[in-house]
Structures are given as C-alpha cells and as structure tokens.
Amino acid sequence: MFAIMKKEFKSYLLSPIGYIFIGLFLLMFSIFFIVTIFNYSVVNFEYLFYNGATILTFITPVLTMRMFSEERKNGTEQLILTSPRSLTSVVLGKFCAAALIMLITEAFTMIFFAILKYFGNPSLVVALSTLGGFFLLALAYISFGMFVSSLTENQIIACVITIGVFIAMWFLPGLAPALEPFSLINMFDKFPQGMISISEIITYVTFTILFILLTIIVLQRRKSVK
Amino acid sequence: MIEVKNVSKKYGKFYAVRDISFTIKDGEIVGFLGRNGAGKSTTMNMITGFIEPTEGTIIVNGYDVDRKPKKVKESIGYMPEGTPLYYDLTVKEFVTYMAELKLIPRKERKAAVQKAITETGLEKVQNKLTKNLSRGYKQRVSLAGAIVGDPKILILDEPTVGLDPAQVIEIRELIKSFRKDHTVILSSHILSEVSQICEKVIIIDKGEVVAVDTPQNLEKSTTEKTILRLTVEDENDKFETIKDSISSIKNITFAGTNDDKSKEYVIETDENADIRKEMFSKCAELGVVILEMKKDNASLEDAFIKLVEDRPEYSEKEIEKMEYQKELEDLRKELEDKKEEKAFKKQAKKEEKARKKAQKEDKKASKEAAKKEKGGDK
C-alpha cells in the first residue's frame, strides 16, 4: 500500500494536478477570507470553512477523477492489477495519497489562522475541531470521487458525475427533511460551531468506508466482465 | 508449469476464447500465433489473472489463478499489449515502481532494477521521462518492467512490434537468453520470429486452439508437394516435353515470359522428390538453358495459413443455432437423467418395500415360532 501511495503522491506533485488543487483551494479560500473580513467585518477562522466546504464540493474531482479512469485509459491498470498487490492495497494507496494532498491543503490554511492570531484571539481548539470535521468531509468526498472514477475510463464523465452528485446531495434536504442524513455538506455545519458530534463523525466515516469498499468491489467485478 | 484447462471467455453471446486447453512446461519458450482478434491477448490476460475466465481453470506452478492470485502473480512478469507506461515517471522510477509492486525486498530492489535496465539496454535513457522516449524505447521500458526481479514466467504480448530491425534482433536475443531458467510465452504476428525463438507454437484462431506443436513439425505437416520455380531460355519450346522424361513431375505450369524472352515455369513434384539434378541434365539434353532454379520451402507461414484458412467460417446465426442445439441437447440429457433418476428411485422404493415386507414377515414368522415354542414349553 505504501509503495502505491508514494507513487500516487509523487504523481500528484509531478503532474500539475496536486498544485492546481492546492492552489485553487487556497486562492478561493483567501478571496473568501478577504471578503468576509472587509465586507462583513466577521473575524472568524472557523466560519471560513463553510465557504471551504463549498469550494471542496466543486474541486474534489480534480483530485479524484483521474484515479482509476486514467489508468484504465492508458492501460496501466494492467500493470497494477497483474502485480501481486491486493486490490485493497491499490485502492487504499490511491485514497491515502489524495488524503495526504488534502492534509497539506489544510495545513496551508493555518496561515490564515496565524494572521488572525496576530490581530485577535481565535480559539485553537475550535479551529482544530473544524479542521478535523473538514478533513472527514474531504475523505468522504474523495472516496465517492474515487468510486466514480473506477466506473468509467473517461475523466470528464467522472468529474461531472462527482460534482453533480455532490450538488444534488447539498440540496437534498430541501426536498424532504428526512433526506438530511444524506447531505454530507450540511452535516459539516456543526463543526465550525465547536461541536464534535458523534453521529456526524460516524456518518462521514461509514460513507468513506462504504465507497472504498464499493470501489474494491467494482474493480473485482470488472475482472469477469472486462 | 502452466496448465490451461477448458477455458472459455464469453462477452455476452460472443466467445472471445472457447474451450481451450494446453500445458506449458517449465523453461519452454512458447509462441502464440493467431490473426487479429483470435484471442491471444485474452488468453494471456487470463493467465496473468487480469481477467477472469467465464469457465475453466488455469493453474500456474500448482496454484489456481482464481484462488491464489497472489502466489501466481508473484511468479509472472507481464508485458501488456500497447506498452502502457506511467508517463510522468522516468525510466528508472518506472522500473523501480514495478519492482515495488512486485514486492521485491528493499535490499535487492536497487540491484534488480539496475539489472533489468542493463539487460534491456536502457542505461543511457534511464533518467529520461518515459513520455519523451521513442516507441522502441518505450517497448524496452515495458519489457524491463516485466523482467525486473527475475520472475519465473514471462508473458510478453507482442514484444517486438514497432521496433527497428536491429532492435528486433536484440530483443530476440534477449528473449532467447531467458531460455535457461524462465518460461516465456510470447505472442506475435511475425511468423519467422516465432519459428526462430520458440520451441513450441500454439496457433489460435477464432478463440480456439488449432494446433500445438514445434515449428518444425508444423512446417513438415503441411508439405504435400514440392514446388520448383524455373526461369529458362527455351527458343524451340521444348521445355514442356520434359514432363515425359522425369516421372515424378506432376504438373508443369507456364507462369509467363520475361522481357528478355526467358520463360518462367512452376513445376509441382511428388512430396520429398528432389529433381533438380535430373532437371539440369535433361534440360542440357534438350538444349534448354536454365537461368534460375529455385525450390520453394514450406514455411511456418504456409502451415499457419493452411491451419487457419481451412477452418469453416460460421456466421453468427449458425453459431447461435449450434449453441441452441447444444442447449437443447443438454436439456434433453438433463431430462433423461431425471427420468433415470426417477426410475431408479422408484425401483429403490420398490425394493425397499419388498425388503420391509420380507422383514415384517420374517419377524412375524419368528414371533410365531417363538409363540409356538412358548406354547410348546407350556
């Protein structure tokens, strides 16, 4: 698993995709940072992550769309799938590499925390709980994006489906309040308020595990239909 | 040792590979021959565990590919069709990644990678990105990825496609050098290549194995007649009378006249008959000057074409019909089996009943006997 993670992580940084993701996120994040401070005079690190979650909804596919689609299109999936590595380690390796990029991105957002700390007194505990919740949301998003990527060899299709489903999930509760538990982004609301809610954490983690498993199953099944 | 037993691969109704079986012994170099879409790559992909057969089993070194994929994959080096590479890695990084994927221990990795790079002649380009290499080099990188770590079995899907003649010879020599301690399976369109490198040829056509043999035997098996091509200067048109004086000539056909008025003939003779000497002396007698005489040798190409072209071509409807008939037959068999089973059960029941009856009577008889005895005692 480690070898695959290392290679995938390297690929993110060798191809511009990793930089595009981190750069795009931080660019939009800083725009929101400036806008909230100067236009609304709200000085709060955590609340920025509401916008962060919105950004994430749209740019997660940058990380995930190529995961398996590219390998399938180039034929390199033959190389990994005929190696003695198990499917689980392949999937987890790729997942962890994307998660690592996400962690780096979050680490960069601490710059904004440092700026606020210089002028005011933001709470580190709430900031960390927000970052933790945000990371869980990102993991859930990545696992879903990875699953979609394993379904098609066309990266654009993978990207569009991923964003489409994320947006649909976002507005699901508007249809019926019963659909609230399916809206990942709305579940994030509690974290920036300093609440660490077990039910939300469990939902994120189960969602992540579910789609990692589904990815493994898809790859397993493709063996017999390919 | 690789054993392929009754393996089929079906896509919907279409059979990519239908009921193929063969065994490959350790240390053999085996060539897969077949036209485009014959099922060569599918078969190779099934041996490597990349795709699963619809039916049948494949056993590699005693391990079932389906049940112990890890054990099987550890012993196989695979070079897929179309040389897929990671284009954002350098040659060295790519081969190292392949070594890592193959679970080669960290200590041996560096040496193994360097060995593979040297063997495939990639030292000069090892720090270049694979996407910037020419096609021939990409091919070699793919081959290096397959041989890194010295796997016991090498499966190479068209290893010499797209190489220049010098490179082709190099790669062939490299593959030949694996002979001692590797089993090699390779597919190719180039028949002369297969007859040069391989000890055994498996000819596949339309998803079925048509022949498994050595190239020499295959070549021999197709020779039914010997063909002699002659270019002669024959001013008096006497050449065709030669048929009467050499008995083993079956047929002489006139193939045309050249610009210099020399004539070309194609002569068919009996199998294994060599009439070249006789031809020479007879022509001298007749005053015919031989400018060129050439004996056609049967090649693997002839064998291949004969084996492949002679097979009946079925349309989809016919195949469907055949399948339908097969299904019908299966159903009929099943029905018969059921009938037989029923009859057998009936018979068994009858016998059981008879036995029980007999037992009962026996008991009755013994009871009565006991009663009688008791009565007798009284």
Side-chain angles (χ1 to χ4, degrees):
Chain A
M1 186 193 106
F2 187 70
I4 293 160
M5 184 183 114
K6 201 174 76 184
K7 188 253 152 195
E8 286 298 314
F9 184 69
K10 214 154 104 189
S11 286
Y12 276 129
L13 299 184
L14 286 174
S15 66
I17 286 168
Y19 298 112
I20 288 177
F21 178 83
I22 298 173
L24 217 56
F25 184 86
L26 292 179
L27 175 74
M28 294 204 246
F29 201 78
S30 45
I31 291 172
F32 281 119
F33 181 72
I34 294 165
V35 168
T36 44
I37 286 181
F38 290 104
N39 291 11
Y40 305 107
S41 12
V42 178
V43 185
N44 190 315
F45 177 67
E46 300 84 57
Y47 287 0
L48 278 172
F49 279 89
Y50 288 130
N51 299 322
T54 313
I55 302 168
L56 199 63
T57 306
F58 291 95
I59 69 167
T60 305
V62 173
L63 280 187
T64 61
M65 66 183 189
R66 53 174 284 282
M67 278 180 160
F68 287 99
S69 311
E70 197 184 31
E71 299 244 15
R72 203 201 285 190
K73 189 151 206 171
N74 290 346
T76 45
E77 78 171 345
Q78 294 195 48
L79 298 174
I80 10 174
L81 298 186
T82 56
S83 78
R85 300 274 174 180
S86 67
L87 275 180
T88 317
S89 68
V90 171
V91 172
L92 283 181
K94 283 177 175 277
F95 176 79
C96 288
L100 206 59
I101 295 284
M102 197 56 230
L103 262 186
I104 292 173
T105 316
E106 284 200 7
F108 273 117
T109 60
M110 288 307 277
I111 297 171
F112 301 102
F113 184 81
I115 295 170
L116 291 178
K117 184 89 187 163
Y118 183 75
F119 295 107
N121 194 19
S123 153
L124 184 65
V125 182
V126 181
L128 286 180
S129 101
T130 312
L131 282 175
F134 192 68
F135 188 57
L136 288 177
L137 171 69
L139 291 188
Y141 272 2
I142 289 170
S143 79
F144 182 79
M146 178 168 75
F147 167 70
V148 175
S149 172
S150 73
L151 295 176
T152 168
E153 61 173 32
N154 190 325
Q155 296 192 31
I156 296 169
I157 292 178
C159 175
V160 170
I161 291 180
T162 312
I163 294 184
V165 171
F166 287 166
I167 292 176
M169 279 201 280
W170 190 354
F171 295 108
L172 265 184
L175 277 180
L179 294 172
E180 189 79 43
F182 294 100
S183 179
L184 293 177
I185 190 167
N186 293 355
M187 265 185 276
F188 175 68
D189 289 354
K190 282 183 186 167
F191 290 95
Q193 291 159 14
M195 281 189 265
I196 298 175
S197 150
I198 296 292
S199 69
E200 261 85 61
I201 292 177
I202 290 177
T203 315
Y204 281 151
V205 172
T206 4
F207 188 89
T208 309
I209 294 173
L210 174 70
F211 279 98
I212 289 177
L213 287 178
L214 282 176
T215 312
I216 296 172
I217 291 169
V218 165
L219 293 176
Q220 186 82 47
R221 286 287 303 147
R222 260 175 49 73
K223 250 190 189 181
S224 50
V225 289
K226 199 157 31 189
Chain B
M1 182 133 125
I2 301 168
E3 292 167 80
V4 174
K5 292 180 192 163
N6 307 97
V7 167
S8 298
K9 177 71 191 174
K10 226 173 153 183
Y11 295 106
K13 270 189 178 170
F14 168 73
Y15 277 98
V17 164
R18 189 200 290 257
D19 197 24
I20 57 169
S21 304
F22 56 83
T23 36
I24 296 169
K25 287 183 216 121
D26 285 339
E28 267 183 330
I29 298 189
V30 177
F32 271 142
L33 275 183
R35 293 189 278 200
N36 293 330
K40 291 169 290 177
S41 295
T42 311
T43 312
M44 288 181 149
N45 276 331
M46 285 194 287
I47 297 173
T48 56
F50 179 60
I51 55 177
E52 236 167 39
T54 321
E55 281 162 40
T57 45
I58 299 171
I59 292 165
V60 177
N61 290 335
Y63 297 108
D64 191 326
V65 177
D66 196 27
R67 298 213 182 113
K68 297 259 183 218
K70 198 180 162 193
K71 289 267 184 206
V72 172
K73 286 171 179 176
E74 267 175 2
S75 61
I76 292 181
Y78 179 40
M79 175 180 168
E81 197 182 8
T83 60
L85 300 173
Y86 290 104
Y87 291 130
D88 44 9
L89 299 183
T90 66
V91 172
K92 201 174 173 184
E93 282 169 339
F94 176 80
V95 181
T96 311
Y97 183 48
M98 286 297 111
E100 281 172 347
L101 283 183
K102 284 184 185 170
L103 307 166
I104 295 167
R106 188 181 287 263
K107 281 181 201 162
E108 300 158 29
R109 209 179 290 153
K110 224 175 180 179
V113 168
Q114 213 50 54
K115 193 181 162 210
I117 287 178
T118 320
E119 274 184 346
T120 45
L122 288 167
E123 297 107 318
K124 276 186 192 161
V125 294
Q126 58 178 314
N127 292 319
K128 272 194 181 175
L129 283 180
T130 55
K131 71 175 157 204
N132 295 334
L133 295 177
S134 70
R135 186 163 175 185
Y137 271 115
K138 278 181 189 160
Q139 199 91 3
R140 287 177 195 221
V141 176
S142 186
L143 185 61
I147 65 173
V148 68
D150 270 327
K152 278 267 157 321
I153 299 167
L154 285 172
I155 298 182
L156 314 172
D157 206 343
E158 303 195 345
T160 56
V161 160
L163 299 182
D164 67 45
Q167 291 172 328
V168 168
I169 292 168
E170 260 176 63
I171 296 291
R172 273 185 206 161
E173 289 307 314
L174 181 64
I175 294 171
K176 274 188 200 167
S177 74
F178 295 144
R179 181 167 290 165
K180 301 152 224 155
D181 37 22
H182 295 77
T183 309
V184 182
I185 304 176
L186 62 94
S187 74
S188 181
H189 288 306
I190 307 164
L191 295 151
S192 63
E193 178 173 291
V194 172
S195 61
Q196 270 179 41
I197 310 178
C198 304
E199 294 148 357
K200 196 158 131 187
V201 176
I202 297 175
I203 296 181
I204 299 180
D205 190 51
K206 300 193 191 90
E208 287 173 59
V209 171
V210 186
V212 183
D213 214 330
T214 61
Q216 289 76 25
N217 279 348
L218 282 174
E219 282 162 17
K220 244 187 244 164
S221 69
T222 50
T223 351
E224 282 162 355
K225 55 192 175 193
T226 313
I227 287 173
L228 211 57
R229 288 174 199 280
L230 274 113
T231 311
V232 294
E233 223 171 63
D234 177 21
E235 281 166 0
N236 307 324
D237 283 331
K238 275 184 186 163
F239 184 74
E240 292 197 28
T241 58
I242 213 162
K243 195 177 176 185
D244 307 324
S245 45
I246 303 174
S247 59
S248 47
I249 292 182
K250 269 190 194 163
N251 197 10
I252 295 183
T253 32
F254 176 65
T257 315
N258 290 331
D259 294 343
D260 57 355
K261 282 181 187 165
S262 61
K263 290 169 183 171
E264 285 187 16
Y265 289 95
V266 178
I267 298 172
E268 281 177 33
T269 62
D270 296 336
E271 190 186 346
N272 297 332
D274 192 356
I275 57 161
R276 281 178 295 179
K277 275 185 188 169
E278 218 178 338
M279 178 67 77
F280 183 77
S281 54
K282 289 281 181 238
C283 280
E285 274 171 33
L286 289 169
V288 175
V289 183
I290 298 176
L291 298 176
E292 199 182 334
M293 177 153 64
K294 200 178 148 219
K295 192 179 164 199
D296 265 6
N297 281 323
S299 62
L300 190 58
E301 206 162 342
D302 298 323
F304 176 74
I305 289 170
K306 187 160 184 288
L307 282 165
V308 171
E309 303 272 295
D310 284 359
R311 283 160 46 76
E313 184 103 31
Y314 293 116
S315 69
E316 250 172 59
K317 256 191 183 165
E318 279 171 309
I319 290 175
E320 229 167 75
K321 208 174 157 187
M322 269 156 45
E323 260 171 33
Y324 180 68
Q325 270 167 353
K326 202 184 157 199
E327 255 170 54
L328 260 182
E329 220 167 80
D330 283 351
L331 274 177
R332 216 170 276 153
K333 250 187 202 167
E334 219 171 277
L335 256 174
E336 263 170 35
D337 281 356
K338 263 187 190 165
K339 257 187 197 167
E340 244 172 52
E341 213 182 301
K342 246 185 187 171
F344 181 75
K345 269 187 186 165
K346 232 181 184 175
Q347 186 74 22
K349 248 184 192 171
K350 249 185 192 171
E351 274 172 22
E352 179 85 19
K353 248 184 189 171
R355 214 170 43 112
K356 270 187 184 166
K357 216 177 177 181
Q359 257 180 359
K360 247 184 193 172
E361 268 167 22
D362 264 11
K363 260 187 189 171
K364 233 182 188 175
S366 60
K367 254 185 192 171
E368 267 171 26
K371 250 184 195 174
K372 260 185 193 171
E373 246 174 57
K374 263 188 186 172
D377 281 350
K378 268 181 188 175

